[in-house]
Amino acid sequence: MKPSLNIGAIELSPPVLLAPLAGITDLPFRDLVSSFGAGLVVSEMVASQEMVQAKPGVREKAELGFEAINTSVQIAGRDGYWMGEAAKMAAGNGAKIIDINMGCPAKKVTNGYSGSALLKDLDHALGLIEAVIDAVDVPVTLKTRLGWDADLMNAADLATRAEAAGIKMLTIHGRTRCQFYKGHADWAAIRAIKEAVKIPVIANGDIVDAQTARQALRLSGADGVMIGRGAQGRPWVLAQIAAELYDLPKPIIPKDQALIEMVQTHYAAMLSFYGEELGSRVSRKHLGWYMDGVGTLPALRKKVLTTRTPQEVMALLPDALATPQKEMVAA
C-alpha cells in the first residue's frame, strides 16, 4: 500500500515533499522534481501585498500552483487583509493548497514582522492564519520553526492554536529563527509539536537522503519529511528517498547522455520561463550544482558559468557533464 497523508480532502502520496526555496523552487525546477515523483512541491515564498499589487516577478514565483494537484503556493506577510487577498488570488487561479510562511529567518523578512518574526507574537500570527483560512475554500497549511530562539520555543503553542483555527498540516523546520541554518536540525524537538496536534506534521531541516529521513521520522514521530537544500542539483532525490523509505519503485537516476539531456531540457525551460537574459543568470546556480555532482573540471565549469550565449552553454554541457571527469581529477 502506497503511503500517503491527507490535507483536508487532498491525498498526498508519498509523504516526501519539496520545500520552498527562494530563487530555486521556481516552475521549471518544481516541474522537474514532480516528473520524478513527489507528494507535494511548494512554490517560492510570495510576498502577499506585492503579489496582489502585481509587482514584477512576484506572481511568477507562484506559477504552477494553478491547477496542479500536488503543488502548494506559499504566501507571507504581516497584514491580514493582504494575506487574505493573496490567498484568494492564488485559489481563484486554481491553487489547490495555500501555505503560510512563518519560518523564513531572513532579516529582510523578519524586519518587516513577517516569516519567523511572527513567533514573537502568536496573537498576531493567529490573526493572519484566520484571515487566510476565512478567505479561501482550499486547505491551508503552515510552515514554521521551533521558536524564535532558545528562550522562546513556542511552536507547539502556535501549532495547537493553528489547528483549532483550521490549519490542515504543519511543517516544522527543526531550528529556531536565531539559529538560521547553523548547527544541526533538532528533529527530536519536533516531537512535542507532533504530540500537541492531530493534523499531519512534516519534519524539515538537514534531510538529504533516506538515512537522514529515517532518523528524522524516528526522532520526531512526524508523518512525512520535507526536502530543501538536499534537492539542489538532484531533482530525483525525493523519489529516491520515498523509494527507500516506503519500498516504492526506484526512480531512474539520469547518467551520461540521459543526464545531459535532462540538464539541457531544464536549462531550456528556465530560458523559456524567465526570458533569455534573466534565465541565463538564474540557471547558473542549477548548472553549477549539476556540474558539482559529476566533478566537472574547474576550467570547464567556469567557462559554462561565464559563457554569454545560451547556444554556447548548450554546446558546452555535453563535455561539462561527462561522468569520467572525477576519474580525470583523481588521475
Side-chain angles (χ1 to χ4, degrees):
M1 182 177 175
K2 196 173 185 181
S4 63
L5 57 83
N6 293 319
I7 301 178
I10 297 175
E11 182 181 60
L12 301 180
S13 181
V16 180
L17 320 180
L18 179 68
L21 296 170
I24 298 168
T25 58
D26 55 17
L27 182 150
F29 188 66
R30 297 195 305 268
D31 268 347
L32 183 54
V33 171
S34 292
S35 73
F36 286 97
L40 183 75
V41 295
V42 185
S43 77
E44 298 173 81
M45 181 185 73
V46 181
S48 55
Q49 184 172 346
E50 284 82 352
M51 180 181 181
V52 176
Q53 295 178 333
K55 293 289 179 69
V58 175
R59 287 190 186 177
E60 288 82 350
K61 289 182 177 182
E63 280 195 34
L64 178 74
F66 306 148
E67 303 303 334
I69 196 70
N70 78 324
T71 298
S72 174
V73 173
Q74 188 183 76
I75 61 174
R78 62 177 177 178
D79 184 283
Y81 171 77
W82 292 114
M83 291 284 281
E85 289 300 303
K88 279 184 198 174
M89 178 175 288
N93 280 301
K96 306 301 183 193
I97 300 169
I98 304 295
D99 187 59
I100 301 173
N101 181 299
M102 292 189 180
C104 180
K107 288 183 179 178
K108 67 179 181 180
V109 175
T110 57
N111 286 349
Y113 301 103
S114 298
S116 55
L118 291 162
L119 288 160
K120 295 194 289 185
D121 187 348
L122 297 193
D123 289 339
H124 184 49
L126 193 68
L128 299 180
I129 289 168
E130 290 170 341
V132 173
I133 291 171
D134 289 345
V136 296
D137 293 326
V138 302
V140 179
T141 62
L142 174 66
K143 188 173 191 291
T144 189
R145 288 183 167 229
L146 297 174
W148 175 256
D149 57 23
D151 296 322
L152 189 60
M153 300 274 281
N154 56 351
D157 188 9
L158 174 60
T160 55
R161 297 178 70 179
E163 180 182 36
I167 287 291
K168 300 301 183 185
M169 183 183 80
L170 291 157
T171 300
I172 307 295
H173 183 108
R175 289 181 174 87
T176 64
R177 182 272 175 182
C178 289
Q179 285 180 280
F180 286 87
Y181 295 98
K182 295 176 182 176
H184 195 284
D186 186 352
W187 300 318
I190 298 173
R191 185 171 287 274
I193 295 102
K194 171 60 185 170
E195 292 175 349
V197 296
K198 293 183 173 64
I199 55 175
V201 173
I202 305 298
N204 175 230
D206 297 341
I207 301 169
V208 298
D209 54 24
Q211 181 180 354
T212 50
R214 278 196 193 93
Q215 191 174 2
L217 289 170
R218 179 178 62 81
L219 292 173
S220 67
D223 302 284
V225 293
M226 181 173 276
I227 317 299
R229 291 171 291 170
Q232 293 173 176
R234 302 189 300 161
W236 53 81
V237 77
L238 277 75
Q240 190 177 31
I241 290 171
E244 294 190 42
L245 287 182
Y246 305 113
D247 196 26
L248 300 174
K250 293 181 179 179
I252 298 173
I253 299 173
K255 296 180 180 178
D256 303 319
Q257 185 60 31
L259 177 65
I260 293 166
E261 291 174 3
M262 185 203 80
V263 174
Q264 287 178 326
T265 300
H266 185 193
Y267 180 59
M270 286 185 279
L271 296 176
S272 175
F273 183 65
Y274 290 106
E276 191 169 296
E277 184 178 348
L278 179 56
S280 293
R281 294 201 304 271
V282 170
S283 69
R284 288 174 190 151
K285 53 180 166 288
H286 290 280
L287 296 179
W289 292 323
Y290 290 132
M291 289 188 287
D292 290 344
V294 299
T296 303
L297 298 173
L300 181 52
R301 186 185 192 280
K302 182 178 179 181
K303 190 173 183 182
V304 170
L305 299 181
T306 56
T307 294
R308 292 190 176 275
T309 71
Q311 293 78 11
E312 290 177 277
V313 173
M314 281 288 194
L316 288 168
L317 285 175
D319 286 340
L321 297 168
T323 50
Q325 294 188 48
K326 285 186 176 178
E327 285 77 5
M328 291 168 61
V329 172

